[in-house]
């Protein structure tokens, strides 16, 4: 670990481990404030896919560009040595969304509050020309004040206006069909993934599934969106309408992040929370 990082932070226990490195808790020497440090092993990514290398090494730049949004993990420092890239980021010590949704279905007003925070983060990314490309419950964290934070921009890409991306990036249940189709795509892949997150919060299971990655991909490509009555009998028609618009296979008809935020469901759900 780089000496400069050790001068500024005391690194403690490991919080999690991914394909390219580990995330640990650390404390700033000067303030005593707690953060997380994401340490990426450059040897692993340089030996792998060039897309992985490009995305992971651009992550600090992207986080700096997006920084100080209330619903995106902020970056506080970058340190590099011969073998690792270390990023000091917000510590989100509460459970992630994945942990929350495996234990219970999220009530609709609560789901609306979480989705509003997520889409505010996504809209901010898109306004600044960043596509996240791997939105899923595991990458949706919560800080000590229970504020949602979109995290892990290791698959993100910066795009110019009207520019398209390519490359198979994402997670089986949450990846958009146009990504799987192998062609070019735009930032609306994030809206699709967010729509899957909303569906899972409300139903407790994903809209497109199978017993293997191949079967899941086939179901996503078919995009046959259903609302089984056993799971959706208490869900409002406004929520289902929004899901149809987010999970539209026709990208030209799929809502943008800004359009999602303007959907009346958010007002209806918040009024329901106020009167419930």
């Amino acid at each position: 670990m780089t000496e400069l990082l050790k001068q500024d932070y005391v690194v403690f226990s490991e919080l999690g481990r991914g394909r390219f490195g580990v995330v640990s808790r650390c404390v700033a020497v000067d303030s005593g404030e707690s953060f997380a440090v994401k340490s990426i092993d450059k040897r692993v990514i340089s030996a792998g896919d060039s897309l992985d290398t490009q995305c992971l090494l651009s992550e600090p730049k992207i986080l700096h560009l997006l920084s100080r949004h209330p619903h995106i993990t902020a970056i506080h420092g970058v340190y590099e040595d011969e073998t690792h890239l270390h990023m000091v980021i917000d510590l989100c010590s509460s459970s992630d969304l994945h942990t929350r949704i495996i234990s219970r279905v999220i009530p609709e007003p609560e789901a609306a509050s979480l989705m509003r925070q997520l889409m505010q983060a996504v809209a901010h990314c898109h306004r600044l020309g960043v596509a996240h490309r791997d939105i899923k419950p595991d990458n949706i964290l919560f800080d000590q004040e229970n504020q949602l934070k979109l995290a892990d921009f290791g698959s993100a890409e910066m795009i110019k206006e009207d520019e398209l991306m390519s490359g198979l990036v994402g997670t089986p249940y949450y990846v958009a069909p146009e990504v799987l189709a192998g062609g070019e795509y735009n930032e609306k892949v994030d809206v699709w993934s967010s729509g899957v997150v909303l569906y899972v919060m409300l139903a407790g299971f994903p809209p497109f599934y199978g017993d293997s990655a191949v079967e899941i991909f086939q179901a996503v490509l078919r995009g046959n969106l259903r609302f089984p009555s056993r799971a959706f009998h208490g869900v409002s028609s406004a929520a289902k309408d929004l899901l149809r618009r987010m999970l539209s296979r026709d990208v030209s008809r799929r809502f943008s992040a800004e359009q999602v935020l303007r959907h009346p469901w958010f007002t209806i759900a918040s009024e329901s929370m106020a009167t419930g």
Side-chain angles (χ1 to χ4, degrees):
M1 193 164 286
T2 172
E3 289 303 316
L4 281 174
L5 176 62
K6 289 180 181 176
Q7 285 175 25
D8 294 342
Y9 297 91
V10 180
V11 179
F12 290 99
S13 53
E14 182 181 309
L15 298 171
R17 184 175 288 266
R19 202 157 47 115
F20 300 110
V22 300
V23 178
S24 307
R25 188 175 77 86
C26 66
V27 173
V29 172
D30 58 354
S31 68
E33 193 175 352
S34 293
F35 296 93
V37 57
K38 181 176 181 179
S39 300
I40 297 168
D41 191 333
K42 295 190 293 186
R43 296 164 298 184
V44 174
I45 60 173
S46 63
D49 190 292
S50 61
L51 182 64
D52 287 333
T53 306
Q54 174 192 327
C55 290
L56 283 159
L57 296 181
S58 67
E59 186 176 5
K61 187 162 120 182
I62 287 171
L63 284 175
H64 275 299
L65 175 66
L66 300 173
S67 67
R68 301 303 180 261
H69 187 278
H71 300 305
I72 294 174
T73 50
I75 188 164
H76 300 276
V78 179
Y79 300 83
E80 191 168 3
D81 54 35
E82 287 186 8
T83 59
H84 285 78
L85 177 71
H86 308 280
M87 291 182 290
V88 179
I89 55 178
D90 287 340
L91 176 66
C92 294
S93 52
S94 294
S95 59
D96 60 28
L97 184 58
H98 177 261
T99 305
R100 295 188 181 194
I101 60 179
I102 58 173
S103 60
R104 67 186 180 102
V105 171
I106 307 293
E108 196 168 329
E110 184 183 342
S113 173
L114 295 175
M115 186 54 47
R116 187 194 297 276
Q117 294 174 64
L118 174 59
M119 295 315 297
Q120 285 171 344
V122 173
H124 178 70
C125 292
H126 292 178
R127 279 193 296 270
L128 292 173
V130 173
H132 185 283
R133 300 202 297 174
D134 195 20
I135 293 174
K136 58 184 177 181
D138 316 58
N139 289 337
I140 298 169
L141 311 181
F142 297 92
D143 65 13
Q144 290 84 339
E145 283 76 47
N146 205 34
Q147 289 293 302
L148 180 148
K149 300 274 187 178
L150 180 58
D152 196 347
F153 284 76
S155 297
E157 185 164 336
M158 296 176 69
I159 49 171
K160 297 187 176 104
E161 191 173 354
D162 298 324
E163 195 174 71
L164 296 174
M165 299 168 281
S166 61
L168 183 55
V169 178
T171 300
Y173 289 116
Y174 299 91
V175 67
E178 62 267 29
V179 176
L180 295 176
E184 294 183 316
Y185 50 86
N186 65 19
E187 72 283 350
K188 284 188 180 179
V189 295
D190 290 342
V191 175
W192 175 282
S193 301
S194 301
V196 177
V197 170
L198 175 56
Y199 189 105
V200 173
M201 283 198 286
L202 295 173
F205 53 85
F208 314 108
Y209 49 88
D211 293 328
S212 66
V214 171
E215 286 185 13
I216 295 166
F217 290 158
Q218 288 170 344
V220 171
L221 284 166
R222 284 194 299 271
N224 188 10
L225 183 63
R226 296 176 184 272
F227 300 111
S229 56
R230 64 188 169 89
F232 281 88
H233 66 277
V235 174
S236 70
S237 58
K240 294 174 192 171
D241 180 72
L242 178 57
L243 283 167
R244 289 188 191 96
R245 294 173 189 277
M246 295 179 76
L247 295 173
S248 169
R249 287 176 62 206
D250 183 345
V251 179
S252 68
R253 298 181 66 183
R254 187 183 307 160
F255 267 14
S256 68
E258 299 279 5
Q259 287 175 305
V260 171
L261 286 167
R262 293 195 295 269
H263 192 278
W265 176 63
F266 291 101
T267 304
I268 294 166
S270 62
E271 286 173 354
S272 168
M273 181 180 279
T275 57

